[in-house]
Amino acid sequence: MSGQTTPYYITTPIYYVNDKPHIGHAYTTLACDVLARFKRLDGFDVKFLTGTDEHGQKVEKSAAAKGIDPQTFTDQVSQNFRDLATAMNFSNDDFIRTTEDRHKAACQALWKRLVEKDMIYLDAYKGWYAVRDEAFYAEDELVDGPDGQKMAPTGAPVEWVEEPSYFFRLSAWGDKLMQFYQDNPDFIAPESRRNEVMSFVRGGLQDLSISRTTFKWGVPVPGDDAHIMYVWLDALTNYITAVGWPEEGGEFDKFWPADLHMVGKDILRFHAVFWPAFLMAAGITPPKRVFAHGWWTNEGKKISKSVGNVIDPLELIETYGLDQVRYFLMREVPFGNDGDFSHRAMVGRMNGELANDLGNLSQRVLSMTAKNCKGEVPEVGAFTPEDRELLDAAYGLLGKVRPLMDRQAFHEALETIWVVVRAANAYVDRQAPWVLRKSDPARMATVLYVLMEAVRNVAILMQPVVPESAAKMLDQLSIPDDARTFAALGEGGALTAGTPIPKPQGVFPRYVEPETNEETKG
């Protein structure tokens, strides 16, 4: 079992506010939400953080293009991310903005600490810079773009920059980082990403430019207002700002080091190389784990604004339903791999797994109970080996699902639950309670009880993924609110015969294609 009230701190990356949220943002935060909800139900004291990254040249330029000041611009765009959190039913405990005073104070405290440790020095920066990536690139990293222009490996345009800059002594941290990765094999996941990062560090680290003078929208460098902090030192600090750093004690002592930073694979280097180096240099423990997930394509095509195939999560919710979208995103792809969003796959999961497998199971069982057992949890007789087999499978789910969630294998966790859902459907077909109704009503009652128990355990475990639908299923079993945590799983929380249950209603409607008026094909 988990320790009661053990702290658990999980973070999303903070999202850059130069655009509106898309499926990638929804996906990362959803994975964190599912894990945060799972841990809460498992008795942990969870802090789940998300937020927005609001400084940098891109924001300054975007605001200027709209004719408004950067703070007004970020106020507007940051709200889009709060609205997404509400629409997706995310359960974050905090929402941090890098324009908040608490964050500026933490950034400046970290800077001063690094100066005290002789980890920062002033020099001049000359090199290639991509505004879009807010990143510097070495000559040998550049690729040829159209018309022979130099471009970043990400495809972003680069410009030659020469300016005074403060540098962080990253080159001093290569061996220490390698040692840290070896001592903490679970620090970077999945394994393929870990190998990538280690290979990058093994190749040698250059000192890192951590300030800019060519624009003003950022956290001022303490003692030198001509400079503002480079966006990555500023942005990454949010994870300790949110737990009260630089104040020791309180939330910082309770929740730091973070249990998990969830990120997209494109920002892994910042989180797995720069961030632990900054922290170790400041005498702060690095986080326990960084998980880099993959990207989505749309019907097999790379998603891009220029192609116009960006997936809006709000439109998905409107088309398919909130819990259906949440389920699909966690179920469709091995977490960590790239995945493809297609209408056909979405409808397949909705109708095949949610409506047919789970929804139909619950509806059949509860309808038969309502009709044949006076609308109450039925009396139970002796269990047969088949009954016991299904009950044991349902009661044993947490022990199988918990380690999968701990390594962010969401798709495997759901498949493990579905093994029991499919077993329950096979059991109901074999036992045929509709036949037993006439031949052996007492046996029918036991069969329905076993099925209700299977549904109860599945519904409790499905709450992190489909919170609203799982709540409806538990309502229909008359499960009180205080009996919905993982402590109620298994025999200890079993249904009590004679408990009245409400009239059953469908929870997962089938998706029906909207009728279209097709033009006559000529």
Side-chain angles (χ1 to χ4, degrees):
M1 261 310 288
S2 71
Q4 291 301 298
T5 69
T6 304
Y8 188 85
Y9 182 27
I10 182 170
T11 69
T12 73
I14 48 171
Y15 301 116
Y16 206 55
V17 293
N18 66 327
D19 211 344
K20 68 177 196 170
H22 56 67
I23 191 171
H25 304 119
Y27 185 56
T28 316
T29 313
L30 173 61
C32 292
D33 182 58
V34 168
L35 206 44
R37 287 174 179 274
F38 187 92
K39 289 289 180 187
R40 288 190 198 107
L41 289 166
D42 207 11
F44 285 77
D45 183 0
V46 173
K47 185 173 177 79
F48 165 24
L49 175 71
T50 188
T52 43
D53 176 8
E54 305 184 9
H55 289 136
Q57 197 170 355
K58 263 194 296 193
V59 168
E60 195 172 78
K61 283 186 170 179
S62 300
K66 283 200 151 74
I68 54 178
D69 65 280
Q71 186 65 57
T72 305
F73 175 79
T74 56
D75 288 348
Q76 291 171 1
V77 189
S78 179
Q79 188 58 43
N80 295 337
F81 287 88
R82 284 185 191 268
D83 293 344
L84 175 70
T86 304
M88 290 288 298
N89 195 10
F90 294 149
S91 62
N92 52 293
D93 302 289
D94 195 358
F95 187 101
I96 190 163
R97 300 180 56 189
T98 55
T99 47
E100 291 176 50
D101 288 341
R102 62 173 170 160
H103 181 66
K104 291 175 190 167
C107 289
Q108 292 182 325
L110 182 62
W111 185 281
K112 286 175 186 166
R113 170 100 49 112
L114 292 171
V115 168
E116 280 163 23
K117 305 264 188 186
D118 192 28
M119 282 293 142
I120 292 178
Y121 62 93
L122 182 62
D123 203 336
Y125 181 81
K126 294 179 182 177
W128 296 101
Y129 184 72
V131 172
R132 196 173 87 195
D133 299 342
E134 299 280 10
F136 295 102
Y137 291 99
E139 186 80 39
D140 60 3
E141 289 184 281
L142 300 182
V143 295
D144 287 330
D147 309 326
Q149 289 168 301
K150 298 277 187 202
M151 298 185 90
T154 58
V158 291
E159 55 191 62
W160 183 260
V161 173
E162 293 189 26
E163 59 175 304
S165 174
Y166 285 95
F167 283 79
F168 171 74
R169 297 185 195 277
L170 186 64
S171 59
W173 289 91
D175 291 347
K176 296 183 185 90
L177 283 167
M178 289 304 287
Q179 190 61 51
F180 176 71
Y181 303 147
Q182 276 150 17
D183 294 345
N184 299 277
D186 292 334
F187 174 64
I188 303 166
E191 185 72 17
S192 58
R193 303 280 168 232
R194 180 173 186 265
N195 297 338
E196 235 170 71
V197 168
M198 289 178 79
S199 155
F200 172 74
V201 174
R202 213 176 276 121
L205 297 174
Q206 307 291 314
D207 286 352
L208 187 68
S209 167
I210 53 167
S211 76
R212 303 295 306 276
T213 56
T214 45
F215 60 97
K216 287 291 170 210
W217 185 241
V219 179
V221 165
D224 191 346
D225 283 353
H227 290 252
I228 57 129
M229 286 185 207
Y230 170 52
V231 71
W232 278 106
L233 180 60
D234 161 4
L236 290 161
T237 304
N238 92 87
Y239 302 126
I240 52 176
T241 300
V243 286
W245 198 83
E247 276 183 39
E248 304 283 339
E251 278 216 320
F252 182 75
D253 278 9
K254 180 179 179 183
F255 286 112
W256 194 263
D259 292 272
L260 180 66
H261 289 329
M262 185 76 80
V263 299
K265 63 183 182 180
D266 53 324
I267 54 172
L268 176 61
R269 188 181 295 182
F270 302 106
H271 285 81
V273 181
F274 299 173
W275 182 225
F278 294 154
L279 290 168
M280 290 193 281
I284 301 169
T285 311
K288 295 175 192 172
R289 184 169 170 86
V290 177
F291 191 107
H293 65 70
W295 289 340
W296 285 86
T297 50
N298 187 352
E299 304 283 353
K301 293 190 175 66
K302 191 178 173 195
I303 292 175
S304 84
K305 274 200 295 195
S306 53
V307 175
N309 66 345
V310 174
I311 299 174
D312 181 344
L314 302 179
E315 286 174 17
L316 293 185
I317 293 166
E318 207 171 290
T319 307
Y320 303 110
L322 172 57
D323 279 352
Q324 286 81 350
V325 170
R326 288 175 60 109
Y327 177 79
F328 176 84
L329 293 177
M330 291 294 96
R331 179 76 166 105
E332 180 68 6
V333 179
F335 197 73
N337 294 7
D338 290 343
D340 183 49
F341 183 91
S342 78
H343 171 71
R344 188 172 157 204
M346 177 85 204
V347 172
R349 295 283 184 195
M350 284 174 71
N351 288 353
E353 291 172 357
L354 292 179
N356 287 2
D357 293 350
L358 182 54
N360 193 33
L361 171 70
S362 175
Q363 181 78 355
R364 280 165 89 185
V365 170
L366 292 172
S367 296
M368 280 188 271
T369 305
K371 212 180 288 178
N372 304 306
C373 305
K374 307 182 300 211
E376 294 174 355
V377 174
E379 291 292 337
V380 63
F383 292 135
T384 66
E386 266 212 297
D387 301 342
R388 198 73 262 171
E389 189 184 356
L390 180 58
L391 286 171
D392 288 348
Y395 291 165
L397 272 174
L398 179 61
K400 292 180 176 175
V401 169
R402 189 188 277 136
L404 296 171
M405 296 298 275
D406 279 339
R407 56 185 179 82
Q408 292 77 61
F410 301 106
H411 61 296
E412 286 182 54
L414 286 166
E415 173 55 29
T416 302
I417 294 169
W418 242 254
V419 168
V420 172
V421 173
R422 288 192 286 264
N425 278 307
Y427 169 91
V428 77
D429 290 341
R430 278 195 311 274
Q431 300 296 326
W434 50 90
V435 174
L436 293 170
R437 185 167 62 94
K438 290 181 180 153
S439 61
D440 190 346
R443 175 67 193 145
M444 173 203 70
T446 300
V447 166
L448 291 176
Y449 180 90
V450 168
L451 285 162
M452 288 170 80
E453 265 298 273
V455 170
R456 179 183 73 86
N457 281 266
V458 164
I460 287 174
L461 280 162
M462 285 298 290
Q463 290 175 103
V465 183
V466 289
E468 290 178 354
S469 307
K472 283 181 192 163
M473 292 175 79
L474 293 166
D475 289 346
Q476 296 194 30
L477 291 166
S478 295
I479 306 293
D481 289 350
D482 61 0
R484 298 185 179 195
T485 69
F486 295 165
L489 289 166
E491 214 147 354
L495 293 161
T496 307
T499 306
I501 55 169
K503 185 171 183 285
Q505 291 174 323
V507 174
F508 294 109
R510 286 182 64 75
Y511 180 86
V512 181
E513 295 290 346
E515 287 184 25
T516 54
N517 299 321
E518 283 205 332
E519 292 172 18
T520 313
K521 295 184 172 71

